[in-house]
Every structure is written in structure tokens, then in C-alpha cells.
Amino acid sequence: MVRAFGALLKYLDAVRLGVEFEDYNVKTPIIRIRTFTIEHMLEMHETTFSALCIFQKQESPSVSAASTSQSRREGISLFRMCDRCCSRPGKVLLRRWFECPTMDCDVLKNRLNAVEFFAQECNLVAANFVRKRLKSICSPKGILKRAQGGQLTAKDWRKLCLTCRSAFEISEYIKLRGLKFDLLTDDVRCFDEDIVRLAAVIAEIVNFEEAEIENRFVVNRGVDHHLDERIYH
């Protein structure tokens, strides 16, 4: 176990997970250590998925027969019936839950408690608040990868800013309302003041209105007087 843990730490340092954009002497931070066992893992055969109609791919009538399998859309399936996700990351996570089911009763109860809360009519206001902001959340992986290569577009900056703002607003709403979801405990802790500062810095630097019109990165006035002289004079 000790050797395996050492190999894992060495791998994290090699890929620089979470610190890709920091100085080389900055090590990958270890927030917590959890014990992982296979007792609650459930492996299902493809035949079982098909028999239970958990996933069902069907050809889209608008595509030709020569199209690849990526052109297929989700047919009538259990996943499609349960999919009410408003964001791409949420849809990916839900699919992962269906693809890798768990036998851990505590995990299942936490998920069902969250679903039950937002499904109740008395919590419609909370559900609408969260749903509206989830629509503005995107996966930052692609954006950060393009940032590493210096290929960010104005739309990427807008998406990143909206994602940070929306995620923090959801976190603050859950805290202020005193909503207790064991399912979201770890996620809520991630949305701290650093997220707010990141969104504020982006909004202060990027002129989103002009960037959308000109389809390029535009800096607000007052950020750098040398840049202002070159652009506005």
C-alpha cells in the first residue's frame, strides 16, 4: 500500500495535476486522503444495460448513413427519462452514475435526498434559482487546456467568468438557505472567495460587449494606460 501511494504521489507530481499554470517548484496540493474499496462497486455487462434500456442509441433522421457513431442521439432510455441536466458537466456526471452504478446505500440515499428536495413543489423557487445558474456553467477543462496553449477566445473568457459567478451564487444560496446536502458538501467547499476574485478580475479586464462585436479579445479602459494610448488615441 505504501509503495502504491508513493507511486501515485510521483504520478501527480509528473502530470502536475491542479498546478499546471504554477511555477515548477509548486507541488500538487493534497487536500485529503480517502480510503477506496471495491466492496460497493457494481460491474454490469453490456447485455444488462441493453435489456434494462439504460442507454439506447438511435440514428438521427437528419444524418446520412455514412455518418459516424457520434452522430447518434440518445433514444428512449432510462438515462434520457432521468436526464434533466441544465449543464454539460451535469450531463456527463449523470451518465457516469448510470455507467458505473454503486451499491453504497449512503451514496444512493444522498442522491435521492437531493432529487426529492428539488422535486417538491414547495422548493420550486430554489429549484428554479439553481437551474437558471446551472445553464451558465460549462466544463473548464477545455478552456484551461486552450489557455495553456495561449488559444483562448473572447467566448472562452465569458464562459469562464459566467461559470465562476454562477457556481459561487449557487454555493452562497445553499449556505444562506441552510440547505443540507451531503451530496454537495465537497463541491460547496470548492466555491470560495478565490472563485469570486477570478470572476471579478476577468470582468475588470475583458470588455465583453466590444469583444463580442469585434470577435476578438478587447481590454477595458483603465487597465493599462500604455494600452489605452495605443488603442484610444
Side-chain angles (χ1 to χ4, degrees):
M1 180 182 294
V2 176
R3 292 180 179 179
F5 185 66
L8 177 60
L9 293 177
K10 188 174 182 180
Y11 172 77
L12 292 176
D13 285 337
V15 299
R16 299 186 55 75
L17 184 65
V19 291
E20 299 92 338
F21 309 106
E22 302 292 340
D23 294 335
Y24 190 75
N25 58 352
V26 178
K27 301 296 183 180
T28 299
I30 306 297
I31 300 177
R32 68 178 64 88
I33 298 176
R34 291 182 176 180
T35 303
F36 176 77
T37 62
I38 61 174
E39 296 177 358
H40 298 132
M41 291 185 62
L42 176 63
E43 184 178 359
M44 293 176 57
H45 194 270
E46 292 183 3
T47 306
T48 305
F49 280 100
S50 177
L52 297 177
C53 294
I54 295 179
F55 299 107
Q56 185 68 43
K57 292 292 185 180
Q58 67 178 21
E59 297 289 348
S60 175
S62 60
V63 298
S64 62
S67 300
T68 63
S69 59
Q70 294 181 351
S71 63
R72 296 180 179 180
R73 63 180 182 179
E74 189 68 31
I76 300 177
S77 64
L78 180 61
F79 172 75
R80 184 177 179 181
M81 293 174 60
C82 297
D83 182 15
R84 295 295 183 269
C85 299
C86 300
S87 66
R88 178 63 181 172
K91 186 183 292 290
V92 172
L93 178 60
L94 181 63
R95 175 173 286 275
R96 188 187 310 159
W97 285 355
F98 276 85
E99 290 176 341
C100 306
T102 179
M103 297 175 59
D104 191 334
C105 293
D106 292 334
V107 173
L108 294 174
K109 288 179 180 178
N110 291 338
R111 295 175 182 176
L112 290 174
N113 288 338
V115 172
E116 182 182 16
F117 175 85
F118 288 109
Q120 293 177 355
E121 188 174 353
C122 59
N123 297 319
L124 184 61
V125 174
N128 289 335
F129 180 91
V130 174
R131 184 182 295 111
K132 181 179 179 180
R133 281 148 185 83
L134 283 175
K135 292 180 180 179
S136 301
I137 293 180
C138 68
S139 176
K141 291 183 179 180
I143 296 177
L144 295 178
K145 187 175 182 179
R146 288 190 292 275
Q148 191 174 13
Q151 300 176 345
L152 280 185
T153 64
K155 291 183 179 180
D156 287 333
W157 285 108
R158 177 183 288 274
K159 288 180 180 179
L160 184 59
C161 184
L162 288 176
T163 296
C164 293
R165 285 180 177 176
S166 300
F168 183 77
E169 288 177 1
I170 293 175
S171 173
E172 287 299 294
Y173 185 84
I174 292 176
K175 293 177 182 177
L176 293 175
R177 288 285 302 272
L179 306 181
K180 302 297 183 181
F181 296 123
D182 293 335
L183 179 66
L184 303 176
T185 300
D186 293 338
D187 295 326
V188 171
R189 291 174 181 171
C190 296
F191 304 137
D192 52 15
E193 294 182 357
D194 291 337
I195 298 293
V196 181
R197 284 195 292 268
L198 176 60
V201 169
I202 295 175
E204 183 179 354
I205 295 176
V206 184
N207 188 330
F208 291 115
E209 294 182 0
E210 292 294 331
E212 185 175 356
I213 295 174
E214 300 184 19
N215 194 26
R216 64 181 181 86
F217 187 88
V218 180
V219 178
N220 281 318
R221 290 191 179 188
V223 175
D224 186 279
H225 68 278
H226 295 293
L227 189 60
D228 291 343
E229 291 178 356
R230 294 183 57 184
I231 297 177
Y232 302 107
H233 296 285

